[in-house]
């Protein structure tokens, strides 16, 4: 039962990812990205990472995907432009990607994983909060500085005066 | 919940390869950004899977930092894209060669 559900969610995620990379319409790509992100969130639930799953929905679907859709709708050329020499760059790129995937798959399947019985799924918020305010306090503060810088940078870049 | 860790890792490798293909083959700037998001998600999945396997919270902590950087990247990237679009009227990454010599 769990395995069937896992394969269903995994299939949803992979189909969504394929839709992002292969769809010729950008709006369809964004909708496929929604499927991939929700699927990844479901996999986090499978991995007993409840807080990460909720944050995935909030940040990626609620923030990043909406921002991307805004950018798509603000630019009028929604359909992908056909580029005349696309097959020249496309075949070597696909060969490279297949090679990369095979190398990663071989490495994963050959590695002697240290298998032990999994711990029971417990709420993770206590451990995450504890780590943020003890072990990871400096990266946590730096992350807020990064976000503030990105905020200011995005505002400066999209100001009217800079465009003219 | 007895799905072995290899399944998650192979799935993440597959999504990473698909995202990589998207970055390499697509010309639309927004689709390239979305494919980068896919690759970041695949890496996040690897971190969470190994965090579960190794009974350690560190993998999940790194996922939050990756998400922070991904949000910052999308905000700045789309702002740059909109600024370029309002000047050049193009969404094609091949036509944007301001920094190329």
């Amino acid at each position: 039962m769990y395995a069937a559900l896992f394969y269903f969610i995994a299939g949803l995620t992979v189909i969504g990812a394929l839709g992002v990379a292969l769809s010729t319409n950008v709006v369809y790509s964004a909708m496929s990205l929604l499927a991939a992100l929700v699927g990844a969130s479901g996999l986090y639930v499978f991995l007993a990472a409840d807080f990460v799953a909720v944050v995935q929905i909030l940040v990626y679907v609620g923030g990043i995907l909406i921002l991307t859709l805004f950018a798509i709708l603000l630019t009028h050329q929604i359909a992908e432009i056909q580029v005349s020499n696309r097959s020249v760059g496309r075949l070597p790129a696909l060969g490279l990607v297949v090679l990369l995937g095979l190398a990663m798959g071989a490495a994963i399947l050959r590695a002697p994983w240290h298998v032990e019985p999994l711990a029971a799924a417990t709420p993770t918020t206590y451990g995450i909060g504890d780590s943020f305010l003890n072990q990871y306090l400096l990266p946590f503060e730096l992350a807020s500085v990064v976000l503030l810088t990105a905020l200011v940078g995005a505002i400066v870049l999209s100001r009217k005066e800079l465009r003219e | 919940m007895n799905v072995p860790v290899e399944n998650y890792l192979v799935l993440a490798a597959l999504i990473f390869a698909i995202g990589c293909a998207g970055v390499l083959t697509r010309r639309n700037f927004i689709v390239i950004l979305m494919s980068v998001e896919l690759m970041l998600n695949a890496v996040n999945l690897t971190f969470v899977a190994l965090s579960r396997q190794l009974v350690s919270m560190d993998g999940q902590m790194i996922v939050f930092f990756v998400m922070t950087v991904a949000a910052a990247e999308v905000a700045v990237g789309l702002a740059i894209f909109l600024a370029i679009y309002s000047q050049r009227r193009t969404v094609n990454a091949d036509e944007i060669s301001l920094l190329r010599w």
Side-chain angles (χ1 to χ4, degrees):
Chain A
M1 177 61 197
Y2 279 129
L5 198 58
F6 169 79
Y7 285 117
F8 174 72
I9 296 177
L12 178 78
T13 313
V14 170
I15 289 172
L18 282 173
V20 173
L22 301 179
S23 168
T24 50
N25 190 323
V26 186
V27 179
Y28 292 162
S29 281
M31 288 301 143
S32 307
L33 186 63
L34 172 68
L37 295 177
V38 172
S41 172
L43 291 173
Y44 293 154
V45 174
F46 257 85
L47 289 166
D50 48 359
F51 192 65
V52 177
V54 174
V55 170
Q56 162 92 359
I57 296 280
L58 278 179
V59 172
Y60 274 102
V61 180
I64 291 177
L65 194 61
I66 297 296
L67 202 63
T68 310
L69 274 174
F70 263 119
I72 291 171
L73 297 180
L74 282 174
T75 57
H76 299 293
Q77 295 162 291
I78 284 177
E80 172 103 340
I81 307 159
Q82 295 294 319
V83 182
S84 57
N85 63 346
R86 64 184 207 177
S87 60
V88 179
R90 191 163 279 198
L91 278 180
L94 283 182
L96 201 69
V97 166
V98 168
L99 251 161
L100 173 75
L102 287 180
M104 285 192 292
I108 290 165
L109 294 177
R110 282 189 188 178
W113 295 105
H114 173 64
V115 177
E116 56 180 309
L118 293 175
T122 50
T124 54
T125 39
Y126 174 81
I128 288 171
D130 190 51
S131 298
F132 264 140
L133 291 181
N134 284 319
Q135 195 185 353
Y136 289 94
L137 185 58
L138 183 63
F140 184 58
E141 296 296 333
L142 283 178
S144 59
V145 175
V146 167
L147 280 180
L148 180 68
T149 315
L151 192 68
V152 175
I155 292 171
V156 168
L157 280 172
S158 50
R159 269 166 62 198
K160 270 277 190 291
E161 300 93 87
L162 198 75
R163 293 186 190 171
E164 280 136 21
Chain B
M1 304 259 180
N2 291 323
V3 183
V5 68
E6 287 93 340
N7 289 19
Y8 291 101
L9 298 180
V10 168
L11 177 66
L14 195 59
I15 297 173
F16 189 88
I18 292 171
C20 200
V23 170
L24 288 175
T25 59
R26 300 303 294 271
R27 301 291 201 277
N28 192 315
F29 193 90
I30 295 182
V31 180
I32 293 175
L33 269 183
M34 287 197 281
S35 301
V36 171
E37 292 302 319
L38 269 185
M39 291 162 78
L40 288 170
N41 256 288
V43 175
N44 277 353
L45 188 58
T46 310
F47 271 124
V48 176
L50 287 178
S51 158
R52 171 87 170 134
Q53 186 69 27
L54 301 175
V55 199
S56 151
M57 201 54 82
D58 296 340
Q60 294 191 25
M61 304 306 293
I62 291 173
V63 167
F64 288 110
F65 296 120
V66 172
M67 280 184 185
T68 310
V69 174
E73 170 234 326
V74 164
V76 176
L78 288 179
I80 292 173
F81 167 67
L82 286 178
I84 287 176
Y85 180 77
S86 67
Q87 277 198 339
R88 294 266 182 125
R89 295 279 142 192
T90 180
V91 292
N92 187 348
D94 282 354
E95 291 175 22
I96 302 163
S97 52
L98 291 165
L99 293 178
R100 197 185 287 167
W101 52 279

